[in-house]
Amino acid sequence: MKKTLIALTLAGLAGAAAAYPDKPITIVVPFAAGGPTDKVARDLAVVLAKGLNNQTVIIENVGGAGGTLGAAKVAKAAPDGYTLLLHHIGMATSPALYRKMPYDTLNDFEYIGMVNEVPMTLIGRSTLPANNYAELVKWLEANKGKINLANAGLGAASHLCGLLFQQALKIDMTTVPYKGTAPAMTDLLGGQVDIMCDQTTNTTGQIEAGKVKAFAVTTTKRLTTPALSKLPTLDESGLKGFNVSIWHGMYAPKGTPKAIVDQINTAMRAALKDPEFIKRQEALGAVVVTDNRLSGAEHKKFVEAEIAKWGPAIKAAGQYAD
Ligand code: ASP
């Protein structure tokens, strides 16, 4: 009797997993709509749905506190596969930036796999008198104490890049935090802030349209995307070793059944092979992940390594933190 009951319960559990998903899935983006993380999530959602019974994949923007508010929401969500998180490098840099984190990065999530890597660009308002990186540095030197640097809050990629940039130049700037770089871009376009580091997924269109001035890329290699290929790297411009590349990964709340995590992983792997998705990402300077970080275990190892890598760099740049 007991055995039959256990067998029935197990069959019930297997049935529940097999039925997943039978209602819309929400991906929390911990930044404002229209920004780089949001753009990746919305593009991904379309192809991901194909591998998830064609269920609707909804994007919920929970911006604020450099991505930690949205990540905390997912850490506390029901572990049933219906609430996921798409987050970037902030997952690894926040622990060094916040005295008290609202979640445990390595223990409060199931790691599903990585999505892409995205370089950043150093851009400025179109009315800045500088037209190239050397002129920008001269302008920054001459305007110490008056420079407004936009970012998406403590822990965001734009914050990390801006922090390292200030440290490298030894120029303290007034940082202006937003809930994402979409609203920050609006203010940059309006001339309310001076400069910003942001992912190419958000800046390429504005650079192409000549609406912002682009000064450099943050990776050590120049980019091949036509609109960005002429931009020098910060490394070759004098900031030797400057190298910031953003990555995105997918997470579920800790305790999400393995069968469901595996199912999302399978759907992600298929989505990341979608030629249309790859083409769109490449056009925006992003590179879709194809290596072993597509697995949850390797994704987690990579985040651990990133925490170890960025922690000391952030602490060293501490005097420039907000
Ligand atoms: N990725 C941006 C940043 O970290 C935020 C955003 O996606 O809006 O600065």
Side-chain angles (χ1 to χ4, degrees), residues 29-39 66 87-90 120 150-153 155-160 178-183 196-199 201-202 246 248:
V29 167
F31 296 104
T37 313
D38 181 69
K39 282 182 186 142
H87 201 353
H88 64 21
I89 192 170
M120 299 190 100
N151 70 26
S158 46
H159 173 263
L160 172 72
Y178 294 82
K179 285 192 172 169
T181 45
M196 167 165 84
C197 279
D198 198 12
Q199 279 105 301
T201 35
N202 201 33
I246 305 316
H248 290 95

Side-chain angles (χ1 to χ4, degrees), residues 22-129:
D22 62 359
K23 60 177 185 182
I25 296 159
T26 298
I27 297 180
V28 171
V29 167
F31 296 104
T37 313
D38 181 69
K39 282 182 186 142
V40 172
R42 283 175 201 270
D43 264 6
L44 181 64
V46 176
V47 269
L48 192 61
K50 293 186 197 167
L52 295 170
N53 300 346
N54 284 314
Q55 277 297 336
T56 306
V57 180
I58 300 162
I59 303 299
E60 184 186 351
N61 299 92
V62 184
T68 55
L69 291 185
K73 179 168 181 169
V74 177
K76 292 182 191 99
D80 56 8
Y82 289 99
T83 309
L84 307 175
L85 171 71
L86 183 87
H87 201 353
H88 64 21
I89 192 170
M91 200 71 179
T93 56
S94 297
L97 286 161
Y98 285 86
R99 231 167 254 133
K100 200 166 175 297
M101 286 283 286
Y103 52 85
D104 180 331
T105 306
L106 293 173
N107 294 310
D108 286 351
F109 299 93
E110 302 295 340
Y111 283 62
I112 299 176
M114 303 248 314
V115 176
N116 66 4
E117 288 183 305
V118 197
M120 299 190 100
T121 41
L122 176 65
I123 57 172
R125 59 178 162 85
S126 61
T127 47
L128 271 186

Side-chain angles (χ1 to χ4, degrees), residues 120-262:
M120 299 190 100
T121 41
L122 176 65
I123 57 172
R125 59 178 162 85
S126 61
T127 47
L128 271 186
N131 286 313
N132 55 44
Y133 179 75
E135 288 177 15
L136 175 72
V137 174
K138 266 195 203 139
W139 184 84
L140 293 171
E141 295 278 0
N143 285 278
K144 279 184 187 166
K146 288 187 267 175
I147 307 151
N148 288 321
L149 167 72
N151 70 26
L154 204 71
S158 46
H159 173 263
L160 172 72
C161 177
L163 183 67
L164 299 176
F165 183 57
Q166 290 178 84
Q167 186 203 29
L169 289 184
K170 308 218 172 345
I171 297 178
D172 208 347
M173 305 174 195
T174 304
T175 53
V176 186
Y178 294 82
K179 285 192 172 169
T181 45
M185 181 67 88
T186 304
D187 273 9
L188 192 81
L189 293 171
Q192 281 91 347
V193 286
D194 300 313
I195 57 168
M196 167 165 84
C197 279
D198 198 12
Q199 279 105 301
T200 55
T201 35
N202 201 33
T203 62
T204 305
Q206 306 292 1
I207 294 170
E208 263 171 333
K211 292 195 173 155
V212 296
K213 287 191 175 174
F215 298 107
V217 295
T218 62
T219 42
T220 44
K221 266 201 201 136
R222 284 193 182 208
L223 307 180
T224 51
T225 316
L228 309 171
S229 59
K230 290 205 179 72
L231 284 179
T233 66
L234 283 172
D235 176 83
E236 77 184 64
S237 303
L239 304 187
K240 219 62 240 99
F242 199 105
N243 190 13
V244 179
S245 179
I246 305 316
W247 42 266
H248 290 95
M250 189 76 88
Y251 309 82
K254 186 77 184 176
T256 304
K258 183 174 179 313
I260 290 180
V261 171
D262 288 349

